[in-house]
Amino acid sequence: MRLEAITWERLAERLADRLAGAEPADGAAWQRVGFDGAPAARPGDLAARVGEALRVRGRPSLVIGTEGFLRPASLRLEHGRRDAESYYDGWFDTGALWREVFGPLDPGGSGRILPDLWDPATDRATRSPYVQLPPGGILLLHGPLLLRHWFPFDLTVHLLLSPGAFRRRTPEADHWTLPAFERYEAETDLAGTADVLVRADDPRHPAWSG
């Protein structure tokens, strides 16, 4: 896999240019982009940069993190607070993402999206208002383990970390999640699935597949 050095700013610009010149593959009025990566890779930072680059180009976008769609603690912590299998299979409410985020962006959809559903700090519903994404707008969804759910993305970006960088950049309190990401890498052809790969081992010097 050949990767080219780039700055985060230039990477965001290149991705925004690509999105501004593209159309949804299924005829919908909105593009859907997935920024897939472990928290240590900070996919949300790249999504926010791309959102800003799109704004400068006059293209509306909405940045959403899957951390706003966690399941209630009674469900995701059923097998304990450090169960990697539960993290892999049961922490994120994918049904709610399909219903509240992707469904409204289907062809003929309303474009009316719920930006988050559950606050893990309070373990209560956020009660956030719906957001209207106008036709031509772009969803920028970021979070871990996205490429195993068959979400209807028009473009996918996966942020890579080497095993050493992964462990180094993950807080020790969260090392229990590492087996989940090892399983994800083993079961998902990330290089073959993602449209764009970004090496994020050094947060100052990314590289990408172009």
Side-chain angles (χ1 to χ4, degrees):
M1 179 175 53
R2 185 180 181 87
L3 299 177
E4 172 189 346
I6 195 170
T7 65
W8 289 112
E9 293 79 6
R10 183 59 179 154
L11 174 58
E13 296 284 335
R14 294 283 294 274
L15 290 173
D17 285 342
R18 181 168 176 173
L19 292 168
E23 297 291 338
D26 61 0
W30 308 270
Q31 291 184 73
R32 296 139 297 191
V33 184
F35 294 85
D36 176 60
R42 304 183 67 86
D45 289 358
L46 180 56
R49 287 180 183 271
V50 173
E52 176 59 22
L54 287 168
R55 185 191 67 79
V56 172
R57 288 160 174 76
R59 293 294 298 272
S61 65
L62 180 62
V63 179
I64 292 181
T66 59
E67 71 272 9
F69 287 86
L70 289 176
R71 290 173 138 187
S74 60
L75 297 177
R76 71 177 187 273
L77 305 181
E78 182 179 4
H79 299 288
R81 293 183 176 273
R82 297 191 170 193
D83 186 83
E85 293 298 310
S86 294
Y87 181 80
Y88 188 77
D89 286 320
W91 268 49
F92 297 94
D93 192 342
T94 55
L97 283 166
W98 278 104
R99 182 179 68 250
E100 303 290 359
V101 178
F102 289 103
L105 302 183
D106 281 341
S110 66
R112 188 169 175 264
I113 300 172
L114 189 65
D116 52 55
L117 180 65
W118 201 258
D119 185 342
T122 62
D123 199 36
R124 293 181 179 179
T126 58
R127 302 189 183 279
S128 295
Y130 283 85
V131 176
Q132 187 69 45
L133 188 62
I138 301 173
L139 169 71
L140 306 173
L141 180 71
H142 62 87
L145 312 174
L146 289 180
L147 301 183
R148 58 182 295 262
H149 296 298
W150 301 98
F151 290 136
F153 291 121
D154 296 287
L155 180 73
T156 52
V157 181
H158 175 67
L159 282 78
L160 294 160
L161 289 172
S162 66
F166 209 146
R167 179 169 290 274
R168 186 170 61 251
R169 294 182 58 186
T170 299
E172 187 172 351
D174 294 329
H175 277 190
W176 63 272
T177 64
L178 296 181
F181 289 104
E182 291 170 0
R183 177 182 172 188
Y184 181 50
E185 185 172 354
E187 295 183 354
T188 308
D189 179 12
L190 298 173
T193 301
D195 298 303
V196 177
L197 296 173
V198 178
R199 173 71 70 182
D201 287 1
D202 185 339
R204 300 165 300 175
H205 304 292
W208 78 315
S209 59

